[in-house]
């Protein structure tokens, strides 16, 4: 029997108007880098994956983006220090900060950053999903009276 409600995560649409992540890596001469996330509509898990791909494509560090499914918060970790430039980067008008759950402000230099808010949106149905019933176990109609 299913005893927990399902949760559906949605509304992570990356467009050309919100696909930029400006950041710097102090160990790589503090040059501003631009990660461009591929446009599309993503599940929360896939969204973390495309951010990881975009960051790793232009950086010296190796990045991983994880999702806390209870809070919908994204955490970006790297093997070296980095700073997200959501407040002062050259692409702040096109940045992905809000959709990722981050504030529109620069972060401090560190190896890990977690968004302050949940990414995307969630929907929780009021009713529990039903258990699966094999078609062979379905009951047939029973007619309690006989027609003559």
């Amino acid at each position: 029997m299913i005893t927990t409600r399902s949760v559906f995560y949605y509304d992570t649409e990356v467009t050309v108007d919100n696909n930029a992540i400006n950041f710097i890596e102090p160990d790589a001469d503090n040059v501003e880098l631009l990660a461009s996330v591929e446009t599309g509509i993503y599940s929360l898990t896939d969204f973390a994956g495309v951010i990881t791909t975009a960051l790793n494509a232009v950086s010296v560090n190796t990045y991983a983006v994880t999702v806390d499914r209870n809070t919908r918060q994204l955490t970006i970790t790297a093997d070296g220090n980095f700073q997200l430039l959501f407040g002062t980067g050259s692409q702040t008008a096109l940045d992905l900060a809000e959709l990722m759950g981050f504030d529109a402000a620069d972060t401090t230099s560190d190896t890990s950053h977690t968004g302050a808010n949940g990414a995307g949106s969630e929907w929780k149905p009021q009713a529990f999903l039903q258990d699966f019933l094999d078609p062979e176990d379905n009951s047939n109609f029973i007619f309690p009276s006989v027609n003559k």
Side-chain angles (χ1 to χ4, degrees):
M1 178 173 181
I2 299 174
T3 59
T4 58
R5 288 186 169 81
S6 296
V7 179
F8 299 91
Y9 299 109
Y10 66 97
D11 199 25
T12 48
E13 182 176 6
V14 178
T15 67
V16 295
D17 296 325
N18 68 348
N19 70 337
I21 302 173
N22 292 112
F23 64 106
I24 58 173
E25 297 173 337
D27 297 337
D29 300 328
N30 282 331
V31 175
E32 181 179 310
L33 301 169
L34 171 62
S36 296
V37 176
E38 186 175 334
T39 61
I41 299 173
Y42 300 102
S43 69
L44 192 54
T45 304
D46 290 343
F47 185 49
V50 295
I51 294 169
T52 301
T53 300
L55 290 169
N56 286 325
V58 297
S59 65
V60 173
N61 292 339
T62 300
Y63 290 87
V65 180
T66 57
V67 177
D68 180 332
R69 294 193 64 83
N70 292 323
T71 62
R72 299 186 341 261
Q73 290 176 308
L74 296 177
T75 300
I76 304 170
T77 57
D79 57 359
N81 286 341
F82 68 101
Q83 180 179 5
L84 298 170
L85 303 177
F86 290 136
T88 61
S90 59
Q91 302 290 322
T92 55
L94 304 174
D95 73 27
L96 202 54
E98 184 177 351
L99 195 58
M100 291 172 57
F102 282 84
D103 294 329
D106 292 352
T107 62
T108 58
S109 183
D110 203 346
T111 59
S112 180
H113 299 288
T114 300
N117 307 301
S121 299
E122 73 178 6
W123 177 66
K124 294 180 180 180
Q126 293 179 349
F128 291 103
L129 291 181
Q130 302 300 310
D131 285 339
F132 173 76
L133 185 61
D134 193 290
E136 293 177 1
D137 296 330
N138 283 334
S139 300
N140 293 327
F141 289 110
I142 298 173
F143 297 102
S145 61
V146 177
N147 292 333
K148 290 186 178 187

